[in-house]
Amino acid sequence: MRLKDERYEEIKKEVAYIFEDYNVTDIAIDVFKIAEKMNIKIVYASEIIAKNKGKISEYSLYGFPPSYLHYNENEQRFYVYIDDVGTGMNRQRFSMAHEIMHIRLGHQEQNAKNEAEANFGAQYMLSPTSLVLLDTEYLLLQEEDFIKCVFEVSEPVAITSARYNYNRIHYFDLTPRDYEEIINSQLGNSFKKIIS
């Protein structure tokens, strides 16, 4: 689902605020540490299975979703369930970022628009394309393999980020937006160490 351009910009700003609010300064982005700072309780499929052996056959037959979000009214706390049995670490990181974005964007229901917003936000959080403004000499952020390795993301995320970075360098204005300056000030030192 294609969102309005203004909405993409709003989501990018929200990612910048997440980085600023939780002092995110390292690449690859540690979404689990962000969740901890947000007081999100993470529950893994492996924990559920270990506590309830009956869940093994249920998991074998039906699997679990990669992740889902639940708000516990009594505890006034979000729970995020992550499938760490049937998914790899890159998928788990994306799932965690996706659920963080649902929380930060204030989504109250599951629908195509909210899913598209959370997916875009997760991708931007894990592989912020604003860093291309720090990379115009090296052009590493146009390389899918570099993005995949350094940001610890899946191939689809790396392909989309590389395409966006290429277009930004070759076709769009390289003047940083306010939220890009926030992200680059938070992650700039880590990124410069990587490319030096």
Side-chain angles (χ1 to χ4, degrees):
M1 167 180 230
R2 173 96 177 122
L3 303 171
K4 292 182 179 179
D5 289 344
E6 304 82 41
R7 188 58 178 154
Y8 287 118
E9 292 300 299
E10 291 167 359
I11 294 168
K12 291 176 188 178
K13 286 179 192 174
E14 194 58 43
V15 169
Y17 299 147
I18 289 169
F19 289 169
E20 191 173 53
D21 291 348
Y22 301 107
N23 196 29
V24 177
T25 59
D26 294 322
I27 299 168
I29 306 303
D30 189 341
V31 291
F32 298 102
K33 186 183 279 185
I34 294 170
E36 182 182 310
K37 289 179 179 181
M38 292 176 70
N39 194 33
I40 297 169
K41 171 70 175 158
I42 304 169
V43 179
Y44 294 97
S46 59
E47 294 171 359
I48 295 170
I49 291 169
K51 289 178 183 174
N52 184 347
K53 298 299 181 192
K55 293 285 184 183
I56 294 172
S57 60
E58 181 182 333
Y59 184 87
S60 298
L61 289 172
Y62 306 110
F64 292 158
S67 67
Y68 62 94
L69 180 64
H70 170 73
Y71 184 72
N72 185 310
E73 290 284 342
N74 293 333
E75 295 180 25
Q76 300 287 296
R77 183 180 196 187
F78 284 99
Y79 279 67
V80 171
Y81 297 85
I82 299 284
D83 180 3
D84 64 331
V85 176
T87 62
M89 183 52 74
N90 287 347
R91 176 59 201 200
Q92 293 169 41
R93 292 179 69 250
F94 185 88
S95 294
M96 188 73 246
H98 175 95
E99 302 303 347
I100 288 170
M101 291 309 302
H102 276 310
I103 294 167
R104 284 297 291 240
L105 295 172
H107 294 158
Q108 299 293 315
E109 60 187 47
Q110 188 173 2
N111 58 44
K113 179 179 173 286
N114 288 351
E115 290 303 303
E117 289 181 358
N119 282 337
F120 175 77
Q123 173 163 331
Y124 194 76
M125 183 187 302
L126 293 172
S127 179
T129 55
S130 66
L131 294 171
V132 77
L133 302 173
L134 304 176
D135 181 43
T136 53
E137 181 180 339
Y138 301 99
L139 305 178
L140 292 170
L141 289 175
Q142 295 179 67
E143 300 293 328
E144 294 163 18
D145 289 339
F146 176 82
I147 294 169
K148 187 176 174 183
C149 178
V150 168
F151 293 95
E152 298 176 15
V153 295
S154 66
E155 189 167 342
V157 170
I159 289 169
T160 302
S161 294
R163 187 179 314 125
Y164 178 86
N165 292 338
Y166 177 86
N167 288 337
R168 178 76 186 268
I169 289 172
H170 295 284
Y171 302 114
F172 298 110
D173 181 18
L174 291 176
T175 305
R177 296 169 181 98
D178 290 345
Y179 65 83
E180 291 176 318
E181 289 180 353
I182 293 170
I183 293 170
N184 290 353
S185 70
Q186 291 294 123
L187 300 177
N189 288 336
S190 180
F191 184 68
K192 287 172 186 173
K193 285 179 189 173
I194 291 166
I195 64 174
S196 62

